[in-house]
C-alpha cells in the first residue's frame, strides 16, 4: 500500500466537544485528561466542566476519535511489521500462555498480558505499568503498578471503558523512567497520537493492546449489583458462545448475551480497530482454547520483549494455527466493513475516520485472495 | 450597634441611632415583653438590638424559624396581655400573611406591633415589594415613619394604638429609615410587666362573623389617624400646589421646596398614618389643591387611594391634576415605581410641579468636579468572598452535572448562595424564587419522569433556609417519592443577613446555649438518605454529587464548611503560587485559576505574567490547589 504523508488535523476543545463528546464517540480512553483542568472524567464519561476558550488544543490532537488516519499511524509505528489492512502491522502471530501458575490463575485465558507486564517490570524494560484494575462487577479504575503484587491485582480483562490513560500525563511530567501501558485499541491509538506530538516518545517503552470488540457502559454494573449471586465473582469473560460468564466460587454463572447487549457503549459500534493495530504487542482470546491467548507481535520492540519473556521462562508461545487465521481475519473484517459502511453513508459516528481509497479497497473480501 | 446609646436612660437625652435601633428603643420605651423575628435585610438589626438588651431588660427575644412562627409567638404574648413586636422584611410578610389576615379577625389584646421593612431598590433583596398592598388586604392600621426619630416615637405609640383598637399595628419601614442614622430624643425605658395571663373567657377566633368587627376596629384606627400628630402640613393654608409625601421622601421634599424657593406656594402634607386613609384630613387639603404631587416608595399606593377618595367627592372638590408614579411624573432612570426615591427625583418632580426650573450645579462647578475627580473604581460584580465554601460547592455541583451529562438543573434559593446564579457561582443556579421554593420546585420536577423528563434536579438551600421553609417541601418529596437531590450549603450561620444563629448553631438570639438541631437529624428522621461532605474537598464533593445523581428518590447532601467570615474561623493556611511551577499563559489553561474560578484572592500578576495569591484576602480554603493543572499552587501554614 502506498505510503501517504498526512498532516495531523488541527482542532481544539470546541471540536472535541462538537465532534467527539456530543456525538457520543468518546471512548473514555483518558488521553485528553491529566493536562487540562477543564476536562474531567467520572462514571466512564469525559466532559468539559467549564468551556475552554483555546482555539486549538492537545485534547483534540490526541483523541483517537478525532481524525484517525490508519495509514499515518502505520507509518509512524517504529519497527513495525508489514502493514496489513485487517490485522494491522505485524511480525508474527502466536498462541501464547504464561508459565507462572499464579499469573495463569489470575489472568485472562493464558494470562499473557499480565505475564508480559510482570516481565517488563522485572526486567527493567519498564519502571511502571499503567493498567486497569478493579473487580469484574464494579467500574474499573486506572492503576499505576510498580511491583508484582499491584500488577497481579490488576490482572483480568475489564469490560467497560476505564479512562486508564488519565494518570499518564502526570507520570510523563514527573519522571523519566520507561513506562509500559496496557490498553484498549482506542487507547493504543491515542498513545501513538501522543507520541506523534512529541509527548513521551522515549518513555513509552512498551504498549500492549488488548483485543476489544466493544465495552459496556456503567449501568451494566448497576445491573450486576442487582444480582446477589455475582457479588463474589472473580473473573468475567465473554466467550464466543454462551453469553457472559462469571467465575464464582470455582463455578460459572452465565448471563444471556441479549441481557447484556443494551449496555454496549455506543461509541464502540464505530470502532475500526478491534485488535490494537498500533500496539507493540496485541493480546486477545483465541476463541478456540481457553488456556491460551492470541498474541500478535507487531514491532521489533514487542518481539524483543516476547523473546526475553520466553527465554526467562515467563511465557510459552506456539505458532498460531494456520486454519484459524481466516476466522480471525473474517471477524475483524466484519467489524471494519460495518464501520466503513457507516462512513460511506456519511453517518456522523464514522466521520472521525480518514481512510484512504487504497485501504478501503483492501478491506473488501475479494481483495483478500492471497492472504 | 450603639448598645450604649440604646441603654441610655431617658428622658431628655438625645443620641444617634439607626432607624432599626430606634424602633428597638421605641419598643423598650413601650414596655416590650416579647420580640420575635426572622432575619432579613434591611430589618435584621431591630431584633439584633433587642436581643442584645433582652436579658438586662427582662424581656424575651428570639430568632424564630420563620416569620409566620415569629408572628404567632408575638400574638401569643399579646393574647396573654403583654406587649410584643415581630419584625420582618417584605418577603417575610408574605410568609406570615396567612396568620396575619387571620389575626386581624381575631384581634389582639396586649399591644402588638408588626414591623415590616421594605427594600426599595432591592439593595439586599431579590424583589422590591410594596407591603402596603398586603396591609390593605389585612385591614390593619399602618403607620410609616419619615425620620429615624419618628421611627422610635411611632413604635412606642403603635403599642398604645394597638391596645386602643384591639388590632396589631403595622409599622412600615424602608431601607433609608432602617439603615439611616439620626438623632433620637429618648423617652423613659419601661420595664415589661410580670403579669402575663390568658383570660379563660377570652376567645381569639378567625371567623367571618368577625369581619364587621374588623371593619369597626379599622374605622376606629382611622378616627385616631385623622388627628394624629405624626401627620403634618407645612405651607400656605390655601396652596394650589400640594405635595403628599410618606416615608423618607418627606425630608427630600422639604429640602426641594426650600432649594427651589417655593415654600410660599407649595404645601407639603406629610402622611404618617397611611392606612386606613385619614379621609377628612386629606379632603381638607384636596379642597384647596388643584395640582397634587405624590412622593412615596415603591408603588403609587397613596396616589391610587387618594384618587379614589377624590372620585367619591369629585362634585364638591372639582378638577385636580394628580401627579405621581401612576401618572409617570415621578420616575428615576429605570422608570416610575422602580427603585428608591432620591433627592434628585424629588426635586425634579417638585420643580415640575412648581414650574421652577432646577439646575443642580453651576457649569463651572461641574467642570471643576470633572477635573479633580479620581478615576472611578472598577465595577465589581456581586461575588462570593475569598474562602467562601459556597464557591467550592458550586464548582463541584457544576462539575458533577457536566460529568453526568444529562443537562441537570440547579434550583436556587434565598441566601448568600443565590450568587450561584452569577459569575462566581459559575451561573449554576437556574431558578430563584422564595425561601424553600427550590425544594418545592424540585419535588415537582422529580415527578415528571412519566413525561420523558430525564434531567437530574438539584435544589440548593442554605442551613438557615432549611429550617425556615424547606422541611415541608422535603416531607412532600419524601411522601410523593420524588426524585431530587437536596444540597444544603451549610455554612453554620445565617450569613447573608449578618451571621444570626439558627436552630442548628446551638446558640439562641441572646447568646445563650440552645439545643442544636442538626440538619442531618431532621432529614434522617424523614427517612431520607443523608450524606455529609466538606465542599472544600473538591474531588470528593464532585464524586458525592455525581454518585447521588445516579440514585432514585429524594436524598440530602449536606455540604458543610463554616462561613469564612465567622469570627471563630481562624485562618491556619494560606495558598501560594509557586512562581517556578506556574508557567503563566504558556500553561494552556487560559488562566482557569483566576479567570474561571473567580476567587477574589487569586489574581493575575500582569507584570510577571503569573497567577498570584493575595495573601491578605486568602482564607486558606485550599480549593485552588486542586484546580491548577501544573500543581503550582500549594498551601503554607500561617503562623
Amino acid at each position: 500500500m502506498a505510503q501517504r504523508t498526512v498532516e495531523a488535523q488541527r482542532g481544539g476543545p470546541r471540536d472535541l466537544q462538537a465532534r467527539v463528546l456530543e456525538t457520543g464517540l468518546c471512548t473514555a480512553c483518558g488521553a485528553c485528561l491529566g493536562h487540562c483542568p477543564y476536562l474531567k472524567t467520572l462514571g466512564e464519561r469525559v466532559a468539559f466542566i467549564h468551556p475552554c476558550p483555546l482555539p486549538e488544543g492537545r485534547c483534540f490532537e490526541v483523541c483517537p476519535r478525532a481524525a484517525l488516519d490508519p495509514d499515518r499511524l502505520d507509518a509512524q509505528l517504529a519497527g513495525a511489521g508489514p502493514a496489513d489492512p485487517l490485522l494491522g502491522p505485524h511480525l508474527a502471530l502466536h498462541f501464547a500462555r504464561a508459565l507462572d501458575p499464579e499469573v495463569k490463575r489470575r489472568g485472562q485465558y493464558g494470562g499473557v498480558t499480565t505475564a508480559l507486564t510482570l516481565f517488563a517490570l522485572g526486567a527493567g524494560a519498564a519502571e511502571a505499568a499503567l493498567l486497569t484494575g478493579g473487580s469484574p462487577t464494579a467500574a474499573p479504575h486506572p492503576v499505576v503498578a510498580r511491583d508484582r503484587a499491584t500488577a497481579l491485582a490488576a490482572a483480568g480483562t475489564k469490560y467497560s471503558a476505564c479512562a486508564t490513560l488519565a494518570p499518564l500525563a502526570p507520570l510523563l511530567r514527573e519522571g523519566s523512567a520507561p513506562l509500559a501501558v496496557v490498553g484498549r485499541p482506542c487507547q493504543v491509538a491515542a498513545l501513538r497520537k501522543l507520541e506523534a506530538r512529541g509527548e513521551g516518545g522515549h518513555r513509552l517503552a512498551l504498549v500492549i493492546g488488548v483485543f476489544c470488540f466493544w465495552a459496556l457502559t456503567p449501568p451494566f454494573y448497576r445491573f450486576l449489583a442487582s444480582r446477589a449471586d455475582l457479588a463474589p465473582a472473580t473473573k468475567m469473560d465473554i466467550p464466543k458462545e454462551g453469553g457472559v460468564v462469571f467465575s464464582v466460587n470455582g463455578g460459572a454463572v452465565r448471563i444471556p448475551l441479549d441481557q447484556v447487549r443494551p449496555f454496549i457503549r455506543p461509541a464502540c459500534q464505530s470502532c475500526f480497530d478491534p485488535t490494537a493495530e498500533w500496539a507493540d504487542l496485541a493480546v486477545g482470546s483465541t476463541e478456540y482454547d481457553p488456556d491460551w491467548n492470541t498474541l500478535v507481535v507487531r514491532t521489533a520492540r514487542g518481539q524483543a520483549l516476547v523473546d526475553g519473556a520466553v527465554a526467562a521462562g515467563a511465557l510459552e508461545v506456539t505458532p498460531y494455527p494456520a486454519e484459524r487465521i481466516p476466522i480471525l481475519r473474517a471477524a475483524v473484517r466484519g467489524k471494519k466493513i460495518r464501520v466503513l459502511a457507516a462512513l460511506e453513508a456519511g453517518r456522523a459516528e464514522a466521520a472521525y475516520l480518514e481512510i484512504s481509497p487504497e485501504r478501503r479497497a483492501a478491506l473488501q473480501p475479494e481483495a483478500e485472495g492471497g492472504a | 450597634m450603639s448598645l450604649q446609646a440604646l441603654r441610655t436612660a431617658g428622658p431628655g437625652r438625645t443620641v444617634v441611632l439607626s432607624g432599626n435601633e430606634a424602633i428597638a428603643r421605641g419598643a423598650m420605651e413601650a414596655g416590650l415583653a416579647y420580640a420575635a423575628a426572622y432575619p432579613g435585610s434591611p430589618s435584621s438589626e431591630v431584633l439584633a438590638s433587642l436581643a442584645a438588651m433582652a436579658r438586662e431588660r427582662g424581656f424575651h427575644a428570639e430568632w424564630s424559624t420563620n416569620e409566620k412562627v415569629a408572628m404567632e409567638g408575638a400574638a401569643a404574648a399579646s393574647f396573654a396581655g403583654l406587649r410584643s413586636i415581630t419584625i420582618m422584611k417584605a418577603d417575610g410578610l408574605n410568609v406570615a400573611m396567612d396568620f396575619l389576615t387571620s389575626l386581624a379577625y381575631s384581634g389582639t389584646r396586649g399591644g402588638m406591633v408588626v414591623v415590616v421593612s421594605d427594600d426599595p431598590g432591592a439593595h439586599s433583596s431579590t424583589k422590591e415589594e410594596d407591603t402596603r398592598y398586603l396591609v390593605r388586604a389585612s385591614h390593619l392600621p399602618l403607620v410609616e415613619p419619615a425620620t429615624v426619630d419618628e421611627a422610635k416615637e411611632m413604635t412606642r405609640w403603635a403599642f398604645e394604638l394597638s391596645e386602643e383598637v384591639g388590632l396589631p399595628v403595622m409599622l412600615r419601614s424602608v431601607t433609608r429609615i432602617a439603615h439611616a442614622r439620626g438623632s433620637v430624643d429618648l423617652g423613659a425605658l419601661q420595664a415589661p410587666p410580670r403579669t402575663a395571663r390568658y383570660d379563660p373567657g377570652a376567645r381569639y377566633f378567625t371567623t367571618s362573623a368577625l369581619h364587621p368587627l374588623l371593619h369597626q376596629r379599622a374605622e376606629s384606627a382611622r378616627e385616631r389617624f385623622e388627628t394624629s400628630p405624626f401627620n403634618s402640613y407645612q405651607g400656605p393654608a390655601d396652596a394650589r400646589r400640594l405635595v403628599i409625601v410618606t416615608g423618607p421622601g418627606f425630608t427630600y421634599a422639604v429640602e426641594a421646596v426650600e432649594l427651589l424657593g417655593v415654600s410660599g406656594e407649595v404645601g407639603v402634607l406629610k402622611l404618617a398614618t397611611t392606612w386606613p386613609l385619614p379621609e377628612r384630613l386629606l379632603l381638607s387639603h384636596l379642597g384647596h389643591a388643584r395640582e397634587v404631587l405624590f412622593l412615596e416608595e415603591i408603588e403609587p399606593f397613596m396616589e391610587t387611594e387618594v384618587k379614589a377618595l377624590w372620585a367619591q367627592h369629585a362634585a364638591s372638590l372639582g378638577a385636580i391634576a394628580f401627579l405621581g408614579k401612576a401618572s409617570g411624573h415621578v420616575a428615576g432612570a429605570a422608570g416610575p415605581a422602580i427603585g428608591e426615591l432620591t433627592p434628585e427625583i424629588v426635586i425634579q418632580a417638585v420643580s415640575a410641579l412648581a414650574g421652577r426650573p432646577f439646575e443642580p450645579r453651576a457649569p463651572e462647578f461641574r467642570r471643576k468636579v470633572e477635573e479633580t475627580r479620581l478615576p472611578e473604581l472598577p465595577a465589581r460584580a456581586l461575588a462570593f468572598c475569598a474562602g467562601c465554601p459556597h464557591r467550592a460547592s458550586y464548582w463541584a455541583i457544576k462539575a458533577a452535572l457536566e460529568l453526568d451529562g444529562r443537562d441537570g438543573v440547579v434550583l436556587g434559593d434565598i441566601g448568600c448562595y443565590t450568587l450561584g446564579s452569577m459569575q462566581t457561582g459559575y451561573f449554576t443556579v437556574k431558578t430563584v424564587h422564595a425561601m424553600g421554593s427550590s425544594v418545592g420546585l424540585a419535588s415537582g420536577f422529580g415527578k415528571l419522569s412519566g413525561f420523558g423528563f430525564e434531567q437530574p434536579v438539584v435544589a440548593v438551600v442554605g442551613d438557615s433556609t432549611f429550617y425556615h421553609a424547606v422541611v415541608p417541601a422535603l416531607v412532600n418529596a419524601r411522601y410523593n417519592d420524588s426524585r431530587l437531590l437536596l444540597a444544603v450549603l451549610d455554612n453554620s450561620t445565617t450569613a447573608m443577613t449578618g451571621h444570626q444563629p439558627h436552630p442548628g448553631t446551638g446558640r439562641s438570639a441572646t447568646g445563650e446555649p440552645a439545643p442544636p438541631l442538626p440538619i442531618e437529624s431532621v432529614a434522617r428522621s424523614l427517612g431520607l438518605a443523608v450524606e455529609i461532605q466538606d465542599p472544600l474537598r473538591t474531588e470528593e464533593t464532585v464524586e458525592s454529587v455525581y454518585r447521588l445523581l445516579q440514585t432514585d428518590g429524594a436524598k440530602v447532601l449536606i455540604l458543610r464548611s463554616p462561613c469564612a467570615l465567622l469570627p471563630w474561623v481562624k485562618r491556619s493556611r494560606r495558598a501560594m503560587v509557586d512562581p517556578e511551577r506556574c508557567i503563566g499563559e504558556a500553561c494552556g489553561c487560559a488562566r482557569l485559576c483566576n479567570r474561571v474560578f473567580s476567587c477574589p484572592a487569586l489574581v493575575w500578576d500582569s507584570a510577571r505574567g503569573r497567577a498570584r495569591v493575595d495573601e491578605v484576602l486568602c482564607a486558606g480554603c485550599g480549593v485552588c490547589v486542586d484546580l491548577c493543572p501544573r500543581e503550582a499552587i500549594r498551601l503554607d501554614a500561617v503562623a
Side-chain angles (χ1 to χ4, degrees):
Chain A
M1 186 181 314
Q3 290 288 327
R4 290 191 307 152
T5 308
V6 185
E7 280 297 305
Q9 202 182 108
R10 314 283 289 187
R14 281 186 203 88
D15 303 289
L16 189 76
Q17 178 70 25
R19 290 158 60 176
V20 181
L21 301 180
E22 280 175 14
T23 55
L25 270 180
C26 173
T27 66
C29 71
C32 59
L33 304 170
H35 267 289
C36 168
Y38 296 90
L39 275 165
K40 300 285 178 195
T41 183
L42 259 184
E44 303 189 353
R45 191 170 174 278
V46 173
F48 284 99
I49 60 167
H50 291 275
C52 168
L54 298 186
E56 291 188 345
R58 175 187 177 283
C59 59
F60 183 81
E61 290 175 15
V62 302
C63 178
R65 288 307 175 89
L68 188 91
D69 179 350
D71 291 348
R72 189 162 178 275
L73 293 175
D74 277 359
Q76 182 190 320
L77 195 64
D84 175 329
L86 284 174
L87 297 188
H90 62 275
L91 300 167
L93 276 176
H94 302 292
F95 273 12
R97 63 182 175 187
L99 290 173
D100 180 329
E102 192 179 9
V103 173
K104 278 188 75 171
R105 183 171 59 80
R106 299 180 73 162
Q108 200 85 2
Y109 307 117
V112 169
T113 306
T114 305
L116 288 168
T117 305
L118 286 174
F119 176 73
L121 285 175
E127 184 269 337
L130 196 47
L131 309 172
T132 304
S135 99
T137 54
H141 51 84
V143 170
V144 179
R146 291 188 162 85
D147 54 63
R148 177 181 165 91
T150 313
L152 263 179
T157 304
K158 315 301 182 299
Y159 286 91
S160 68
C162 177
T164 313
L165 301 186
L168 184 63
L171 274 177
L172 290 175
R173 205 159 50 226
E174 297 301 330
S176 58
L179 302 172
V181 183
V182 177
R184 310 190 298 274
C186 49
Q187 292 172 320
V188 170
L191 290 171
R192 297 307 177 203
K193 292 186 95 180
L194 231 132
E195 275 185 333
R197 277 177 50 88
E199 282 181 43
H202 62 290
R203 300 278 308 282
L204 287 172
L206 175 66
V207 175
I208 301 177
V210 292
F211 287 13
C212 177
F213 279 71
W214 35 255
L216 298 167
T217 54
F220 175 65
Y221 298 111
R222 291 204 278 281
F223 165 76
L224 294 183
S226 67
R227 294 279 303 259
D229 55 333
L230 294 177
T234 53
K235 209 179 277 190
M236 171 178 159
D237 182 22
I238 309 181
K240 191 165 188 200
E241 280 159 9
V244 175
V245 184
F246 288 90
S247 310
V248 181
N249 297 331
V253 176
R254 291 176 187 274
I255 297 176
L257 204 56
D258 283 348
Q259 288 184 28
V260 176
R261 280 191 195 282
F263 299 111
I264 293 176
R265 191 177 177 94
C268 300
Q269 309 285 20
S270 312
C271 177
F272 196 67
D273 172 21
T275 65
E277 293 178 31
W278 302 289
D280 293 305
L281 296 167
V283 180
S285 105
T286 60
E287 297 201 335
Y288 176 69
D289 185 341
D291 276 347
W292 294 81
N293 285 106
T294 294
L295 171 62
V296 186
V297 179
R298 300 193 179 282
T299 65
R301 188 162 63 175
Q303 184 67 63
L305 191 87
V306 170
D307 291 346
V310 170
L315 199 68
E316 177 185 1
V317 298
T318 183
Y320 199 90
E323 70 277 14
R324 305 254 354 133
I325 292 178
I327 299 170
L328 176 62
R329 297 183 74 85
V332 173
R333 184 193 291 110
K335 175 102 174 137
K336 285 185 185 276
I337 291 282
R338 280 196 296 278
V339 180
L340 200 59
L343 180 66
E344 298 192 327
R347 293 214 295 274
E349 67 265 27
Y352 75 98
L353 284 169
E354 297 178 351
I355 309 284
S356 64
E358 294 87 345
R359 188 174 285 262
R360 285 184 199 212
L363 285 171
Q364 300 309 319
E366 56 273 22
E368 258 270 70
Chain B
M1 196 191 310
S2 339
L3 257 192
Q4 196 51 48
L6 270 181
R7 265 196 195 105
T8 304
R13 296 285 297 277
T14 301
V15 295
V16 173
L17 295 177
S18 73
N20 282 340
E21 290 165 341
I23 291 168
R25 172 76 191 199
M28 292 192 292
E29 290 183 6
L32 175 76
Y34 190 104
Y38 184 81
S41 191
S43 74
S44 309
E45 297 82 6
V46 180
L47 193 106
S49 304
L50 289 170
M53 297 291 294
R55 270 191 282 186
E56 68 183 76
R57 298 297 311 165
F59 59 83
H60 174 74
E62 72 171 39
W63 288 120
S64 308
T65 45
N66 65 36
E67 294 83 354
K68 180 167 175 280
V69 173
M71 189 180 282
E72 288 157 351
S78 167
F79 295 161
L82 299 172
R83 287 187 166 182
S84 67
I85 194 167
T86 181
I87 308 107
M88 60 205 66
K89 70 183 296 178
D91 311 67
L93 182 61
N94 300 332
V95 175
M97 201 58 196
D98 193 13
F99 181 67
L100 185 72
T101 50
S102 305
L103 186 63
Y105 275 62
S106 81
T108 50
R109 183 174 153 223
M112 177 171 166
V113 176
V114 178
V115 177
V116 184
S117 297
D118 285 2
D119 188 10
H123 294 280
S124 45
S125 307
T126 49
K127 55 183 185 276
E128 44 177 1
E129 182 174 340
D130 189 330
T131 57
R132 295 178 298 177
Y133 296 97
L134 295 188
V135 178
R136 191 189 188 292
S138 71
H139 301 285
L140 294 174
L142 170 69
V143 297
E144 295 187 68
T147 65
V148 171
D149 184 50
E150 205 168 68
K152 197 269 289 181
E153 275 305 302
M154 288 180 81
T155 305
R156 190 192 51 70
W157 168 68
F159 287 96
E160 292 167 18
L161 178 68
S162 168
E163 284 167 8
E164 286 168 17
V165 302
L167 291 174
V169 171
M170 311 293 296
L171 186 139
R172 181 195 186 226
S173 170
V174 291
T175 308
R176 298 289 161 179
I177 298 293
H179 286 170
R181 303 185 79 77
S183 56
V184 174
D185 296 330
L186 300 181
L189 289 171
Q190 195 182 319
R194 296 281 140 211
T195 53
R197 186 165 188 277
Y198 188 97
D199 175 357
R203 298 285 186 274
Y204 295 96
F205 286 145
T206 305
T207 156
S208 60
L210 293 171
H211 199 171
L213 176 61
L214 174 54
H215 280 280
Q216 284 169 29
R217 285 170 160 168
E219 277 306 310
S220 139
R222 188 200 306 278
E223 273 307 313
R224 285 166 171 81
F225 286 178
E226 296 286 5
T227 55
S228 167
F230 291 107
N231 299 323
S232 66
Y233 178 75
Q234 60 192 81
D238 59 350
R240 290 175 59 83
R241 289 166 173 153
L242 175 68
V243 176
I244 298 179
V245 56
T246 64
F250 169 66
T251 53
Y252 309 161
V254 168
E255 187 182 62
V257 165
E258 202 177 293
L259 278 172
L260 292 165
V262 293
S263 57
E265 53 200 276
V266 174
V268 176
L269 175 62
K270 186 193 80 165
L271 216 54
T273 65
T274 43
W275 191 261
L277 287 182
E279 293 183 351
R280 290 199 304 279
L281 173 69
L282 282 161
L283 288 170
S284 72
H285 289 286
L286 294 179
H288 60 75
R290 294 301 90 187
E291 288 175 85
V292 177
L293 173 69
F294 294 91
L295 297 173
E296 57 188 320
E297 289 176 326
I298 304 166
E299 308 282 352
F301 174 83
M302 188 63 63
E303 185 178 350
T304 307
E305 295 299 339
V306 172
K307 282 196 287 193
L309 177 65
W310 170 83
Q312 276 186 302
H313 301 272
S316 58
L317 290 173
I320 298 177
F322 291 103
L323 317 173
K325 293 180 170 180
S327 73
H329 287 84
V330 178
I338 294 168
E340 294 187 288
L341 278 184
T342 63
E344 288 72 27
I345 293 171
V346 168
I347 202 164
Q348 293 297 350
V350 176
S351 160
L353 172 75
R356 290 291 165 86
F358 172 66
E359 175 58 52
R361 300 283 185 217
E364 179 63 9
F365 179 86
R366 187 177 291 275
R367 191 184 59 75
K368 282 186 177 166
V369 168
E370 289 297 324
E371 279 173 10
T372 55
R373 72 174 188 159
L374 295 167
E376 284 180 9
L377 291 169
R380 282 181 56 192
L382 288 167
F384 288 125
C385 309
C388 178
H390 296 342
R391 177 190 293 97
S393 293
Y394 280 119
W395 185 271
I397 290 169
K398 179 167 191 295
L401 287 171
E402 297 289 354
L403 288 161
D404 175 82
R406 289 176 291 166
D407 292 331
V409 184
V410 177
L411 311 168
D413 219 289
I414 306 297
C416 294
Y417 51 91
T418 310
L419 292 180
S421 61
M422 300 168 79
Q423 186 191 339
T424 61
Y426 320 111
F427 307 103
T428 307
V429 163
K430 306 301 184 192
T431 70
V432 175
H433 296 88
M435 290 186 73
S437 295
S438 63
V439 186
L441 286 169
S443 180
F445 278 118
K447 292 308 296 179
L448 301 184
S449 62
F451 304 92
F453 187 88
E454 302 287 343
Q455 295 158 275
V457 170
V458 183
V460 175
V461 306
D463 38 345
S464 192
T465 302
F466 178 85
Y467 302 103
H468 179 285
V470 164
V471 175
L474 206 49
V475 171
N476 188 67
R478 162 81 172 138
Y479 175 48
N480 290 295
D481 191 25
S482 189
R483 181 181 175 131
L484 66 89
L485 172 59
L486 170 61
V488 184
L489 273 49
D490 178 4
N491 60 0
S492 308
T493 186
T494 314
M496 182 155 178
T497 48
H499 289 153
Q500 292 82 6
H502 60 58
T505 60
R507 279 182 301 124
S508 74
T510 52
E512 284 157 291
L517 177 60
I519 291 164
E520 55 269 35
S521 303
V522 178
R524 286 190 180 122
S525 74
L526 303 181
L528 296 167
V530 179
E531 287 191 24
I532 302 169
Q533 174 67 47
D534 178 354
L536 302 183
R537 301 171 77 94
T538 317
E539 287 192 16
E540 288 172 25
T541 308
V542 175
E543 282 172 27
S544 292
V545 175
Y546 179 90
R547 183 166 32 75
L548 290 169
L549 289 177
Q550 316 307 316
T551 60
D552 288 331
K555 52 263 167 186
V556 179
L557 175 63
I558 300 171
L559 297 172
R560 179 171 288 153
S561 181
C563 172
L565 301 180
L566 282 169
W568 51 268
V569 175
K570 297 294 178 206
R571 188 175 72 157
S572 60
R573 310 175 304 176
R574 184 177 74 189
M576 294 281 290
V577 175
D578 182 340
E580 303 299 317
R581 280 182 165 248
C582 176
I583 54 173
E585 299 284 11
C587 176
C589 74
R591 293 159 51 176
L592 171 113
C593 58
N594 61 75
R595 188 182 59 83
V596 180
F597 184 55
S598 305
C599 172
L602 194 48
V603 295
W604 187 251
D605 185 338
S606 308
R608 299 171 59 216
R610 296 285 184 272
R612 183 173 66 78
V613 173
D614 184 323
E615 60 186 63
V616 176
L617 289 180
C618 177
C621 77
V623 176
C624 57
V625 173
D626 293 334
L627 301 180
C628 175
R630 302 283 307 178
E631 292 153 25
I633 309 177
R634 63 168 196 265
L635 281 175
D636 285 354
V638 173

